Amino acid sequence: MAVRSHTRLAARLMPLFWLLPALTLVAGLIYYPIAQLFVLGLSNIDMAGQIVGFSGLANLVNTLSDPVFPQALRNTVVWTVSVVAVTTLLSVPIAVLYHQDFPGRRLFRAILVLPWAASLMISGLIWRWIFDANYGDFNLLLEAAHVITHGMAWLGTPVSAFMAVIWVGVFVSVPFTTFVLLAGLQAIPSTLYEAASIDGASSWQSFWRVTIPNLRQSFVISTILNVIYVFNSFPIIWVMTRGDPANSTQILVTYLYEAGFQFGQLGEAAVIAILSFFILLTFGILFVRAVRSEVAA
Amino acid sequence: MVRRRFWQGTLAGVAGTALVLGTYSTLLAAVAKVHRQAGQQTITFIAAAYSTKTQPFWEHEVKVFEAQNPGIHINLEVVSWNNIAQKVTTLIATHQEPDVLNINTWTPYANSGLLLNLNTILPASFRNGFVPAFLRSAQSHGATMALPFVSSVRSLYYNKTYFTKAHIKSPPRTWPELVADAKAIQKAEPNVWGLGMTGMHLEPAYFSYFLWGAGGNWNNAKNRWTFDSRQGIKALTFMNDLVNKYKVTEPNPVAYNRDELEQLFASGKLGMMFTASFFPTILKQEGPNIKWGVGPIPVAPGVKPTTLGVADYLMAFKTTKHPKAVAQWLKFVFSNGPYHTFLNNEGLLPTNKAQSVAMSKESPFFKTVISQLPTAKFQPFYIPTYVQVWEDVSSYLQEVFLGNMTPAVALKQAYQEAVRIP
């Protein structure tokens, strides 16, 4: 009897033993850093990065009273919404096009992957040169077309700089979004289109009544993932403008990096990270709920 | 069938166990390795990458040093300027301080009580070999917290060809002369901008030239911020006038950092610019055909000219287990051979007397700039929040250049942010 219960206990503990390395990894790499983030946010940290005491909500108060913070928050919203919206709008026709059977389709699909495959740092750097005031290709192109007479510093004025970084954000997000939508398109059964055409639907009607509704799941996935990626995207803006001019392209991540690693204020950087985390979490929950309730209705 | 399943199960079990044990043993091996290394005289040296020549230079010198000092091993890591501050912050936060560090500031580390007072490991005779102005910039209450490693001074560099064309005899010494010369260059060469100006982040020196040139200062003797003074407003007003009133700079300074201005100068698009004494080394490669001259940084009439000096430092952390090896290494770095090679490679100026004398004899340019070293004025990096303050100031500078704010309002707001920083 005793032997039996002993083996049963061992059998019950066995899975835990097998899972231990994975659990350790997850705890060490995900939960521990998050916990540490909260510790940092509540601590007084000196310029060399050492915790010298508990500071309560001082970091939060400091962050919220910095005039750059609301600006960065506003910019983050504009940046995320613009990039994700424009990306999605551009990706639908591209995905539909790539879903057609045309000669060289595989080649074109491969080409579309390229901006996605290149590192964001490299893309940002190349676009920075393209928008350069003196040697940039963008200026050369516009001059050749007689749109402008002399080079413009596109990254030097607030509005044009923001539009430039948004464009690059779109450029690198389109491939992923297109492939998600393409996968969605391929999952739509052809019988639906046959049924629609028998009912006399035009191709335009079948696009709006069959394609778009059936892409709902793909839209949900691409929107959620894109919002998370774009919201947290650091390299493009850092490489192209560093938040300049006059903080007009400063978003929360670049602001966080500046606070943490240029000003040595790790406590405030941690607070910004926590706030970003909650903003994304709230968005995720609300978005999924909205989508679900729509399905239910 | 059953038999086969049995074998499959056993195989999976063996593989799984191996995997799990493998994970644990890798961890154990890592711990053991750390222990083994602790037994040796290993010192970690983190150095900033000044150029592509930096890494090969240190690799070579480490080999030479290790051959001369058996028993000491140098664990070298050369890190780019973009990443080094972040890297060091991370290392400190995780208690992996290097033994010796080469970076542009020592104050945050000293303020956190992390640095070794070098008076305890280096003799006075060695310390007194440094140019006093530089050694003082590395001391706090008599304690030597770092060694000034390399230096540079800022001056006005001008294109000689354009000066001749515009009939300018000598470089401008005052603000009115600066404006007049820049205008003359633009008149003689319509495709050239008279003066390069940067409004980008990370270039606090540009405001310093004008602030000091107006007779102002970043801070007073009590380390209170004073950059929003009457002189500060005068300085920023003049900077803005250069851009927006006299229009003698490139049209949008906010889009240019100093490196980009140097590129413009090297391609003959600028008549004059302010930059560091290592610029001729860069120009040799980037614009070998440009004929250049050097002059002092112009000031407002009646103000005494100053030179902006910049120094980078070497420091040792208290956590080092081998202070003697650290001292050996520091002495080796400043010994004539390696030190001279490094300065030559990077176009930087010495901080010690021996090399100052030696290099002054090498070229008239070195003679001029080295003679300015003892009177060089430094930015207040000893105030820990200075980095953040000038970031704020440059943001407001951009607002002024973009026409969104007047100089007085911009500096007042920058001041309010500066005093708010905890």
Side-chain angles (χ1 to χ4, degrees):
Chain A
M1 198 60 193
V3 173
R4 214 189 139 116
S5 74
H6 186 74
T7 45
R8 268 176 72 181
L9 184 70
R12 280 169 74 178
L13 283 180
M14 210 50 183
L16 216 60
F17 174 75
W18 298 113
L19 282 174
L20 201 55
L23 284 178
T24 317
L25 215 63
V26 170
L29 293 178
I30 299 173
Y31 298 126
Y32 173 74
I34 292 180
Q36 198 62 24
L37 196 65
F38 281 87
V39 173
L40 288 178
L42 294 170
S43 301
N44 183 8
I45 304 166
D46 67 14
M47 303 282 282
Q50 290 184 308
I51 296 179
V52 290
F54 178 75
S55 74
L57 295 177
N59 290 324
L60 182 68
V61 173
N62 278 333
T63 305
L64 294 181
S65 65
D66 184 349
V68 182
F69 178 75
Q71 200 181 351
L73 187 62
R74 212 167 39 237
N75 289 343
T76 311
V77 173
V78 175
W79 154 256
T80 312
V81 171
S82 325
V83 172
V84 176
V86 177
T87 302
T88 310
L89 286 179
L90 281 180
S91 300
V92 174
I94 299 177
V96 171
L97 184 71
Y98 276 36
H99 190 49
Q100 315 295 317
D101 204 359
F102 61 90
R105 180 170 75 160
R106 284 177 59 173
L107 178 74
F108 279 96
R109 282 188 183 175
I111 289 173
L112 186 68
V113 182
L114 285 182
W116 187 15
S119 104
L120 291 181
M121 277 288 177
I122 295 171
S123 300
L125 212 56
I126 290 174
W127 280 101
R128 188 181 162 168
W129 290 331
I130 292 176
F131 286 121
D132 185 276
N134 290 289
Y135 315 104
D137 295 318
F138 191 55
N139 274 333
L140 287 181
L141 212 67
L142 293 182
E143 277 175 52
H146 300 289
V147 179
I148 54 173
T149 52
H150 60 277
M152 304 268 291
W154 297 103
L155 301 178
T157 64
V159 174
S160 63
F162 211 172
M163 283 169 70
V165 291
I166 287 175
W167 160 248
V168 180
V170 169
F171 178 79
V172 299
S173 308
V174 160
F176 168 74
T177 316
T178 305
F179 279 100
V180 171
L181 296 180
L182 195 57
L185 283 176
Q186 284 164 350
I188 302 176
S190 59
T191 47
L192 287 182
Y193 291 103
E194 283 162 21
S197 80
I198 289 169
D199 288 345
S202 68
S203 57
W204 191 243
Q205 278 171 325
S206 67
F207 173 74
W208 283 109
R209 300 290 171 91
V210 179
T211 310
I212 295 293
N214 277 293
L215 279 180
R216 163 193 285 279
Q217 210 52 42
S218 309
F219 280 130
V220 172
I221 292 170
S222 77
T223 306
I224 285 208
L225 290 180
N226 272 334
V227 165
I228 294 173
Y229 290 153
V230 174
F231 187 96
N232 284 327
S233 179
F234 169 76
I236 295 172
I237 291 187
W238 191 252
V239 167
M240 287 181 68
T241 63
R242 279 186 181 250
D244 280 350
N247 290 316
S248 60
T249 58
Q250 192 81 271
I251 62 168
L252 286 177
V253 203
T254 52
Y255 178 62
L256 178 159
Y257 183 86
E258 206 173 64
F261 296 110
Q262 295 204 304
F263 304 154
Q265 297 180 333
L266 286 178
E268 292 187 13
V271 165
I272 303 166
I274 293 169
L275 291 175
S276 304
F277 174 69
F278 280 118
I279 293 171
L280 276 180
L281 198 68
T282 315
F283 163 79
I285 293 170
L286 289 182
F287 188 78
V288 169
R289 270 203 179 168
V291 171
R292 273 211 191 134
S293 65
E294 222 176 285
V295 171
Chain B
M1 197 63 205
V2 173
R3 225 185 139 80
R4 208 162 136 200
R5 235 188 235 160
F6 169 77
W7 277 112
Q8 277 177 349
T10 314
L11 262 176
V14 169
T17 315
L19 208 72
V20 174
L21 290 179
T23 315
Y24 292 134
S25 65
T26 314
L27 277 172
L28 279 175
V31 172
K33 196 177 168 196
V34 169
H35 272 273
R36 254 203 320 279
Q37 277 179 348
Q40 294 176 354
Q41 286 250 4
T42 298
I43 57 175
T44 304
F45 173 44
I46 294 187
Y50 288 81
S51 73
T52 48
K53 290 178 181 169
T54 314
Q55 172 108 27
F57 166 82
W58 286 121
E59 277 170 5
H60 174 75
E61 297 305 335
V62 162
K63 265 187 215 143
V64 174
F65 176 79
E66 285 176 350
Q68 287 174 7
N69 298 273
I72 304 180
H73 171 67
I74 304 233
N75 190 0
L76 168 72
E77 197 169 341
V78 179
V79 184
S80 93
W81 275 118
N82 286 335
N83 301 332
I84 190 163
Q86 178 188 352
K87 166 131 198 161
V88 174
T89 305
T90 314
L91 287 176
I92 292 170
T94 52
H95 304 291
Q96 306 176 68
E97 295 92 335
D99 296 271
V100 181
L101 171 67
N102 157 223
I103 200 169
N104 56 350
T105 176
W106 54 271
T107 40
Y109 313 116
N111 289 340
S112 303
L114 297 168
L115 296 185
L116 191 64
N117 177 0
L118 296 175
N119 289 351
T120 59
I121 61 166
L122 292 167
S125 58
F126 178 77
R127 285 178 272 135
N128 292 335
F130 290 93
V131 175
F134 281 115
L135 187 62
R136 273 198 303 274
S137 77
Q139 288 177 325
S140 162
H141 304 291
T144 308
M145 303 317 290
L147 294 175
F149 175 45
V150 289
S151 67
S152 63
V153 289
R154 301 294 169 88
S155 315
L156 176 92
Y157 289 79
Y158 60 88
N159 186 311
K160 269 190 174 170
T161 317
Y162 299 155
F163 262 41
T164 316
K165 265 197 181 162
H167 307 291
I168 304 167
K169 298 279 184 303
S170 64
R173 293 182 178 269
T174 63
W175 287 358
E177 287 175 24
L178 179 69
V179 175
D181 291 351
K183 278 185 175 168
I185 292 170
Q186 293 194 164
K187 207 173 164 200
E189 283 282 344
N191 288 325
V192 168
W193 292 305
L195 175 71
M197 173 77 81
T198 167
M200 253 210 181
H201 275 165
L202 303 170
E203 184 53 1
Y206 252 71
F207 182 60
S208 307
Y209 305 142
F210 294 94
L211 180 63
W212 293 344
N217 244 324
W218 280 98
N219 57 307
N220 63 16
K222 286 179 185 160
N223 287 345
R224 296 261 162 78
W225 299 113
T226 55
F227 59 81
D228 63 329
S229 61
R230 198 165 41 80
Q231 291 90 341
I233 297 168
K234 189 178 164 187
L236 187 49
T237 307
F238 180 64
M239 281 174 91
N240 187 38
D241 284 350
L242 286 169
V243 177
N244 290 317
K245 187 173 157 193
Y246 306 123
K247 299 189 190 297
V248 291
T249 66
E250 80 280 4
N252 201 324
V254 171
Y256 295 87
N257 61 29
R258 199 188 65 214
D259 295 342
E260 285 160 342
L261 288 185
E262 287 173 350
Q263 296 294 327
L264 286 183
F265 189 94
S267 58
K269 285 204 152 205
L270 288 180
M272 298 179 271
M273 75 171 290
F274 305 121
T275 186
S277 44
F278 48 76
F279 184 47
T281 312
I282 297 172
L283 211 48
K284 223 181 273 173
Q285 289 189 354
E286 309 277 332
N289 301 323
I290 299 281
K291 292 192 181 66
W292 55 271
V294 61
I297 289 177
V299 291
V303 176
K304 201 172 150 237
T306 44
T307 308
L308 187 146
V310 178
D312 295 338
Y313 298 89
L314 282 170
M315 58 213 78
F317 282 79
K318 264 183 188 167
T319 43
T320 182
K321 293 195 184 75
H322 313 292
K324 275 189 185 153
V326 167
Q328 283 296 105
W329 172 242
L330 289 174
K331 283 188 207 161
F332 174 82
V333 168
F334 284 100
S335 60
N336 286 335
Y339 192 41
H340 186 258
T341 312
F342 187 85
L343 296 172
N344 251 343
N345 281 352
E346 315 290 357
L348 291 163
L349 302 179
T351 52
N352 68 5
K353 294 169 190 164
Q355 279 301 318
S356 297
V357 173
M359 284 178 71
S360 291
K361 289 176 188 154
E362 285 172 21
S363 82
F365 172 72
F366 276 141
K367 198 179 170 188
T368 314
V369 287
I370 289 173
S371 73
Q372 294 173 339
L373 287 180
T375 58
K377 199 165 169 171
F378 293 91
Q379 299 175 76
F381 279 109
Y382 52 84
I383 303 178
T385 54
Y386 176 60
V387 181
Q388 192 174 353
V389 168
W390 63 247
E391 278 278 354
D392 284 338
V393 169
S394 41
S395 279
Y396 283 103
L397 214 90
Q398 295 176 339
E399 299 276 19
V400 173
F401 285 158
L402 293 169
N404 299 337
M405 273 185 198
T406 65
V409 171
L411 286 179
K412 196 176 162 203
Q413 295 207 7
Y415 175 80
Q416 280 164 355
E417 281 192 35
V419 292
R420 201 188 56 82
I421 300 169

